């Protein structure tokens, strides 16, 4: 993005302190222009219409028209604007944030409550910078897929796929899309790794699973404490299959989806009688993530080998790649979400490029593939 293509951002928060902190932090980042602020939801809607920002930062909890109502109005009016939520670290804040993410918010940042203004700024700066890069990348990909932008081949002499040359599609990866490979064995467990865009993707996928899926499903969704509990509760209310936040020591039972608790690591363990159980512990972060996809997937490789199916979905970063390598080395079947349906293509990208994936699917086809896995159990 060059200076003529600065990302225009509107800052929406009912407290003047946070409007200042967020505006100050964002104005320091390259290729960003703060086009305005709003102290309430109604003003925000009016300023989105007049200023046409690319992105808004939106406080979840505001008097009058709260963040959820603002999002619903954005959807109703079909405003073409991205949204990053600012949420309080409370149970109520986490519930509202999950709803916001399901409504299409790009991501969220828990509001810090640190000792100094500078510490709060540093916290927000560290989280906003990668989010804005991912949002800018996603915005460009959406333009390309919709035909509003063109993709230019690096080597003009090199033949190019006509669809790419026409700007209809962008080559998502520098290797051929993997040819679907047949499963060698039945699946006893499905594990999913997901991050940015996960709550919306899971809310679209999990309700398509039947109550008697007959296998357990374990999920790592990158989130802090409280938020995973709210996510599990929200998904459970929408789904036939039971969804819960995992607890240390509980048996890994079929027809249940276990979500790793935020701020903890989750893996598979075994009792003396051989019964497999969930272990939740305070081991260090991996890839700056806790819970970490790699951490869970390694234990799946160890305990299930070729009888496991791993799914890597939308998310920033590369957490999950090493875990997929371990699963693949033991013969597991690996599914990746495709670029077009990902909010952020980071996590599926490297496993696909590395040839670790058996099949790449759009979001709407993943539930059917899980059901297919379960039928072979």
């Amino acid at each position: 993005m060059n200076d003529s293509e600065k990302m225009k951002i509107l800052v929406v928060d009912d407290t003047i302190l946070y409007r200042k902190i967020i505006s100050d932090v964002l104005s320091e980042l390259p290729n960003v222009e703060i086009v305005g602020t709003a102290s309430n939801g109604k003003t925000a809607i009016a300023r989105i219409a007049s200023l046409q920002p690319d992105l808004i930062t939106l406080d979840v909890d505001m008097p009058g028209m709260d963040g959820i109502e603002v999002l619903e109005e954005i959807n109703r009016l079909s405003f073409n604007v991205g949204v990053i939520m600012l949420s309080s670290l409370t149970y109520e804040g986490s519930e509202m944030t999950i709803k916001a993410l399901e409504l299409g918010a790009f991501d969220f940042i828990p509001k810090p409550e640190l000792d100094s203004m500078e510490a709060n700024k540093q916290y927000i700066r560290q989280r906003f910078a990668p989010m804005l890069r991912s949002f800018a990348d996603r915005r460009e990909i959406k333009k390309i897929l919709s035909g509003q932008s063109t993709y230019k081949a690096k080597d003009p002499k090199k033949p190019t796929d006509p669809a790419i040359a026409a700007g209809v599609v962008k080559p998502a990866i520098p290797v051929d899309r993997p040819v679907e490979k047949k499963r060698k064995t039945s699946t006893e467990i499905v594990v999913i790794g997901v991050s940015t865009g996960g709550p919306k993707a899971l809310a679209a996928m999990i309700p398509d699973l039947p109550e008697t899926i007959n296998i357990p499903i374990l999920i790592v969704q990158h989130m802090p404490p409280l938020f995973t509990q709210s996510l599990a509760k929200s998904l459970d209310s929408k789904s036939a299959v039971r969804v819960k936040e995992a607890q240390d020591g509980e048996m890994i039972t079929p027809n249940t989806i276990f979500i790793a608790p935020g701020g903890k690591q989750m893996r598979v363990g075994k009792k003396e009688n051989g019964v497999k159980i969930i272990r939740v512990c305070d081991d260090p972060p991996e890839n700056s993530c806790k819970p970490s996809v790699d951490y869970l997937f390694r234990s799946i490789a160890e305990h299930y080998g070729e009888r496991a199916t791993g799914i890597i979905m939308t998310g920033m970063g590369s957490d999950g790649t090493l875990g997929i390598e371990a699963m693949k080395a033991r013969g597991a079947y690996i599914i990746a979400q495709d670029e077009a349906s990902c909010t952020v293509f980071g996590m599926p990208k490297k496993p696909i490029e590395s040839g670790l994936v058996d099949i790449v699917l759009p979001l709407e086809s993943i539930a059917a593939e899980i059901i297919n896995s379960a039928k072979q159990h």
Side-chain angles (χ1 to χ4, degrees):
M1 194 187 304
N2 56 44
D3 286 344
S4 65
E5 296 175 318
K6 282 190 173 183
M7 187 186 299
K8 298 186 293 182
I9 300 181
L10 174 71
V11 176
V12 183
D13 200 291
D14 66 319
T15 61
I16 191 167
L17 175 64
Y18 269 104
R19 289 201 301 277
K20 176 167 176 49
I21 289 175
I22 296 162
S23 298
D24 287 353
V25 166
L26 293 179
S27 62
E28 294 168 7
L29 297 175
N31 298 318
V32 165
E33 179 188 359
I34 304 300
V35 293
T37 63
S39 60
N40 60 66
K42 286 187 177 177
T43 304
I45 293 296
R47 290 191 177 160
I48 292 168
S50 62
L51 299 171
Q52 297 189 329
D54 301 304
L55 179 72
I56 68 170
T57 69
L58 179 60
D59 188 16
V60 168
D61 188 15
M62 296 185 294
M65 191 180 196
D66 65 26
I68 300 298
E69 291 167 319
V70 172
L71 260 175
E72 288 171 341
E73 189 69 358
I74 286 171
N75 290 341
R76 189 183 72 79
L77 295 170
S78 300
F79 285 145
N80 183 23
V81 63
V83 179
I84 292 178
M85 307 300 296
L86 274 292
S87 169
S88 59
L89 274 168
T90 63
Y91 184 72
E92 292 76 16
S94 69
E95 287 205 311
M96 289 179 73
T97 301
I98 297 300
K99 187 169 184 184
L101 295 169
E102 291 174 351
L103 282 168
F106 181 77
D107 209 341
F108 77 101
I109 295 175
K111 279 188 174 181
E113 296 177 355
L114 304 174
D115 293 337
S116 69
M117 172 82 87
E118 190 48 47
N120 285 325
K121 280 187 176 181
Q122 181 64 14
Y123 172 96
I124 289 175
R125 188 180 298 114
Q126 287 173 344
R127 283 153 183 80
F128 256 121
M131 275 185 199
L132 294 189
R133 285 194 296 271
S134 291
F135 177 76
D137 289 346
R138 179 59 187 163
R139 188 174 57 156
E140 186 59 28
I141 289 164
K142 285 173 86 171
K143 283 182 183 176
I144 290 163
L145 293 173
S146 67
Q148 295 173 22
S149 176
T150 57
Y151 173 80
K152 293 181 176 62
K154 290 182 182 177
D155 183 358
K157 297 176 186 175
K158 191 173 179 181
T160 308
D161 184 295
I164 293 170
V168 177
V169 296
K170 178 181 177 181
I173 51 174
V175 292
D176 290 336
R177 187 182 176 102
V179 177
E180 181 179 355
K181 297 166 190 170
K182 297 300 180 186
R183 300 168 189 273
K184 294 177 183 176
T185 59
S186 61
T187 291
E188 289 185 13
I189 192 167
V190 168
V191 284
I192 297 171
V194 64
S195 185
T196 314
K200 186 180 180 184
L202 294 172
M205 181 190 79
I206 288 175
D208 288 341
L209 299 175
E211 183 178 5
T212 52
I213 188 72
N214 294 330
I215 54 171
I217 299 172
L218 273 56
I219 298 177
V220 165
Q221 160 74 60
H222 294 157
M223 274 187 167
L226 291 177
F227 290 83
T228 45
Q229 184 181 346
S230 295
L231 176 63
K233 182 180 174 184
S234 176
L235 291 173
D236 186 63
S237 71
K238 296 175 172 66
S239 309
V241 64
R242 182 185 181 217
V243 184
K244 70 183 299 293
E245 188 179 57
Q247 294 177 292
D248 183 50
E250 66 182 323
M251 285 176 56
I252 299 175
T253 51
N255 305 316
T256 307
I257 296 174
F258 301 91
I259 296 180
K264 299 286 186 182
Q265 296 290 20
M266 181 173 80
R267 61 180 173 83
V268 175
K270 195 184 284 188
K271 291 174 123 180
E272 289 180 6
N273 61 2
V275 171
K276 292 184 179 71
I277 57 172
I278 286 174
R279 303 290 3 187
V280 174
C281 66
D282 210 24
D283 282 356
E286 295 188 15
N287 311 302
S288 303
C289 300
K290 190 174 180 181
S292 159
V293 180
D294 279 343
Y295 187 95
L296 172 63
F297 280 21
R298 278 200 313 273
S299 75
I300 293 293
E302 178 188 347
H303 289 278
Y304 288 91
E306 64 182 5
R307 293 167 289 116
T309 293
I311 304 175
I312 193 77
M313 293 176 63
T314 176
M316 281 192 286
S318 60
D319 186 32
T321 299
L322 294 176
I324 287 171
E325 282 182 5
M327 288 183 66
K328 199 68 196 161
R330 298 287 187 95
Y333 189 79
I334 306 298
I335 301 164
Q337 185 178 350
D338 72 357
E339 181 173 15
S341 67
C342 281
T343 299
V344 179
F345 190 50
M347 282 167 55
K349 187 173 189 286
K350 191 171 180 184
I352 294 171
E353 289 178 347
S354 303
L356 296 169
V357 171
D358 295 300
I359 184 169
V360 179
L361 293 172
L363 175 62
E364 62 268 22
S365 300
I366 293 176
E369 190 68 14
I370 293 173
I371 294 165
N372 185 44
S373 299
K375 283 178 181 173
Q376 297 185 41
H377 173 53

